[in-house]
Amino acid sequence: MLMKQVTLNDHPDFIAVIDGRTDLAAAMAAARDALLDPAYQAAVIVRESETAGQSADRAADLLKTMSPNRDELGRLADGRFAVMRAKEKSQDVFAASDFNRVAGHDVTDLLTAMDGVFASPPAMYVRVADGDNANGHLDSGYEFMTPNFSGDFSRAAPTPGGITLTMALRGGGTIVRELSRDELIRVPGHNGQDVWRQRDDVRDDDIGPNGAAIADHLGWQTRAGDVCLMRGGDWPETHLPTLHASPIRQRQGDPKERVVCLAFL
């Protein structure tokens, strides 16, 4: 059985699906707002990209010139774009047209759409690998919600927990599945705030034949060029986090590496 693909017309109720084909910035804001609704556990922006493969090649070539110390791609306040090199503590700056040539239209469009939507500046990593974390897992989030959080779940307020954003350009998108409260516990986090963790006896630890711990009949996968936004484990108890996994490309028969954009917001 093939993993079910998230589309505008085919998706489960726990995923908010937004049409981002014509206005990605508006779709990004709508996806952020959807995560504030406890009815959803993830949000997917459908782009139906025709350039994802080209952007994957360009981003992969760009990474070959970058140091391995978590260099970032970002959009500057003046509208230009930058490759921020951690090891050299420097940055290479590009005009938008040049950045399209260097990193691809999908990367440029995503960074532009992120601008002003989140508390964090528009910046992200790009990873090239056969597979990242194949097991179903929760991201911890930044655990920055304070005990004095006002409970203002509005667009104007910062989100009450971390958001992970992914856009796979090649090699399979992020896989998510619906969680129940019975699978989770609340434990003190690093700053004393209670956070979500998976119970040890219900983890998705068995990697199946199609390359992900999340079973085919339970998982939903984003397509190349589509954007997936997920809640971290540091959201309050009213909002469940997002259980997700990456595919292992070697098990899916894809000879090329997986290229994925990743941001922690």
Side-chain angles (χ1 to χ4, degrees):
M1 179 186 296
L2 295 176
M3 185 72 66
K4 298 182 290 294
Q5 305 291 297
V6 177
T7 68
L8 289 173
N9 297 319
D10 190 14
H11 57 86
D13 291 340
F14 77 94
I15 300 176
V17 177
I18 296 101
D19 189 343
R21 293 174 296 178
T22 58
D23 191 340
L24 184 55
M28 190 71 66
R32 176 200 178 279
D33 289 354
L35 291 185
L36 299 175
D37 185 342
Y40 300 115
Q41 293 184 21
V44 171
I45 300 173
V46 174
R47 299 179 58 239
E48 295 184 356
S49 172
E50 297 180 354
T51 57
Q54 180 188 74
S55 293
D57 290 337
R58 292 181 180 180
D61 286 342
L62 176 63
L63 285 180
K64 293 175 184 177
T65 70
M66 296 166 64
S67 69
N69 295 310
R70 299 181 70 82
D71 292 336
E72 291 184 87
L73 309 181
R75 186 177 187 273
L76 304 177
D78 62 8
R80 294 182 298 167
F81 296 82
V83 177
M84 294 165 276
R85 303 181 185 275
K87 183 177 181 179
E88 293 84 0
K89 296 182 179 180
S90 63
Q91 61 183 22
D92 297 335
V93 179
F94 302 88
S97 58
D98 292 333
F99 201 67
N100 283 333
R101 174 180 50 80
V102 170
H105 284 277
D106 296 80
V107 175
T108 304
D109 292 347
L110 179 60
L111 285 169
T112 300
M114 291 166 60
D115 189 29
V117 176
F118 305 99
S120 304
M124 63 190 180
Y125 308 108
V126 179
R127 291 180 178 172
V128 176
D130 288 328
D132 298 314
N133 192 333
N135 288 348
H137 65 284
L138 310 178
D139 285 348
S140 62
Y142 286 125
E143 300 180 7
F144 60 78
M145 187 181 76
T146 68
N148 297 320
F149 174 64
S150 66
D152 181 8
F153 290 96
S154 68
R155 169 63 182 85
T159 56
I163 294 173
T164 300
L165 180 153
T166 63
M167 180 179 70
L169 297 170
R170 182 171 62 220
T174 298
I175 301 165
V176 300
R177 80 157 171 84
E178 189 171 14
L179 271 173
S180 69
R181 288 183 178 271
D182 293 340
E183 298 177 76
L184 302 169
I185 57 174
R186 297 283 286 179
V187 299
H190 298 304
N191 63 356
Q193 164 203 332
D194 282 350
V195 298
W196 292 109
R197 293 288 185 266
Q198 287 178 271
R199 286 175 45 190
D200 290 336
D201 57 340
V202 292
R203 288 180 178 274
D204 298 71
D205 283 336
D206 295 326
I207 296 178
N210 287 334
I214 295 176
D216 290 343
H217 68 285
L218 296 175
W220 287 83
Q221 186 174 29
T222 56
R223 298 176 300 174
D226 289 352
V227 183
C228 185
L229 289 86
M230 299 165 281
R231 288 195 289 257
D234 57 342
W235 281 66
E237 60 183 342
T238 51
H239 292 65
L240 296 183
T242 308
L243 184 78
H244 61 285
S246 302
I248 296 180
R249 298 310 306 160
Q250 291 174 332
R251 293 177 182 241
Q252 296 191 15
D254 191 330
K256 292 187 177 181
E257 68 276 286
R258 182 173 189 251
V259 180
V260 59
C261 302
L262 174 68
F264 298 106
L265 305 164

